[in-house]
Amino acid sequence: MTKWRLLAVDLDGTLLNEHRQISKVNREWLHKAREQGVDFTFATGRLYPGFVQKFATELAITKPIISLNGSAIWSCEGKLLEFYPLEKSQVHAMYTIAKQHASHYWVCTEKDVFYDDTFAEEIDKHTFAKFGFVAHDADSLAQIKKQLDAIPNLEVTNTHPLNLEVNPQGISKGNALRTLCQQWNIPTDALITIGDSLNDTSMLKLAGMGVAMGNAQDEVKAIANQITSNNTEDGVAKAIQTIIFSL
């Protein structure tokens, strides 16, 4: 009988391959984990409606899904359970930074995403939960990060070495998972988490077994308990085999 009870897995760069698909091998081993008593869910920076919801339905996920790095939690039936937005003043300040220093930016509500070509018309019409920046280069990234540091109460991570993702302070995949584990009476020692980017570090630190992908950023590998293969090599399946089935 395995001691593990829940697997929380990131999508991009982790469960998804280079074609943004879940491989047959990864699907097979996720279901084998469930048969062994280890349920699974997604913890992603993406929006839940659409792309993520499609995969959740295909895999028959029954646990709530963490989206937008923890700013939104959805039931498997598509009901918004929790939502943690940015303040309007924060969004306006980040919009100014993005116009000055970013090569590209995007801003998310709980269910929609707006890009640099349409955001100006939407900024005062919605409540936003995540602001994303793509930098031209390392110098631009450093300038964006410096100006973000001057805005109070923000949580700054990334999903790529040249981007930054911003949520309200204290909002993270790890904190969302901690809350859900408490609700389900699952000790975090019985939790496995798998990811590849800085927005995954909070959940890797939380878990009894935090796994970094072979393609993960170095900072993520440095805090992981274990490193698996790349996302293009069924790394999630290999982690399940190693940790849950001792293969």
Side-chain angles (χ1 to χ4, degrees):
M1 184 72 178
T2 181
K3 76 168 188 175
W4 307 108
R5 294 182 54 191
L6 181 67
L7 167 65
V9 60
D10 173 52
L11 289 178
D12 295 280
T14 301
L15 184 61
L16 304 184
N17 60 23
E18 69 273 30
H19 306 297
R20 293 186 176 176
Q21 297 172 342
I22 303 174
S23 72
K24 181 179 178 181
V25 174
N26 277 341
R27 289 172 185 266
E28 176 185 352
W29 283 95
L30 283 170
H31 288 302
K32 286 184 177 182
R34 178 181 281 158
E35 291 168 1
Q36 193 71 12
V38 185
D39 209 347
F40 59 86
T41 191
F42 299 148
T44 177
R46 282 182 176 266
L47 297 166
Y48 177 68
F51 187 81
V52 176
Q53 189 171 18
K54 168 181 169 287
F55 286 131
T57 300
E58 288 177 6
L59 293 174
I61 290 179
T62 60
K63 297 290 188 187
I65 291 101
I66 295 166
S67 69
L68 297 177
N69 296 334
S71 269
I73 301 174
W74 293 80
S75 74
C76 55
E77 296 85 13
K79 178 182 178 182
L80 184 63
L81 302 175
E82 303 282 349
F83 182 60
Y84 303 99
L86 292 157
E87 297 174 7
K88 288 286 187 184
S89 60
Q90 293 172 326
V91 174
H92 277 273
M94 286 189 281
Y95 177 47
T96 298
I97 295 169
K99 287 190 297 180
Q100 293 174 343
H101 300 290
S103 66
H104 172 58
Y105 60 92
W106 69 99
V107 194
C108 301
T109 68
E110 75 278 13
K111 61 181 180 179
D112 293 303
V113 57
F114 299 96
Y115 298 97
D116 30 13
D117 57 344
T118 60
F119 181 62
E121 301 170 4
E122 306 292 341
I123 187 169
D124 290 318
K125 298 179 183 178
H126 304 280
T127 300
F128 297 97
K130 189 181 80 165
F131 204 119
F133 301 80
V134 177
H136 297 277
D137 49 36
D139 290 340
S140 299
L141 187 76
Q143 185 61 239
I144 295 169
K145 181 65 167 61
K146 180 180 178 181
Q147 294 198 28
L148 288 175
D149 288 343
I151 303 173
N153 303 319
L154 296 180
E155 195 83 18
V156 182
T157 62
N158 78 11
T159 56
H160 183 277
L162 278 180
N163 82 15
L164 293 169
E165 295 199 352
V166 186
N167 293 82
Q169 189 173 55
I171 299 303
S172 67
K173 294 182 182 184
N175 283 340
L177 270 173
R178 180 182 287 107
T179 298
L180 292 177
C181 283
Q182 289 171 350
Q183 292 176 4
W184 303 329
N185 198 29
I186 296 175
T188 55
D189 284 350
L191 173 66
I192 304 168
T193 56
I194 310 178
D196 71 302
S197 297
L198 294 189
N199 66 335
D200 298 312
T201 56
S202 61
M203 70 174 186
L204 266 63
K205 290 177 181 178
L206 173 72
M209 179 62 70
V211 181
M213 300 298 294
N215 52 285
Q217 296 175 42
D218 289 342
E219 299 96 316
V220 182
K221 291 180 178 179
I223 58 95
N225 301 113
Q226 186 178 118
I227 299 172
T228 188
S229 299
N230 290 3
N231 67 310
T232 57
E233 301 168 337
D234 301 316
V236 169
K238 291 175 182 176
I240 291 170
Q241 293 167 13
T242 301
I243 299 165
I244 298 175
F245 293 87
S246 300
L247 298 179

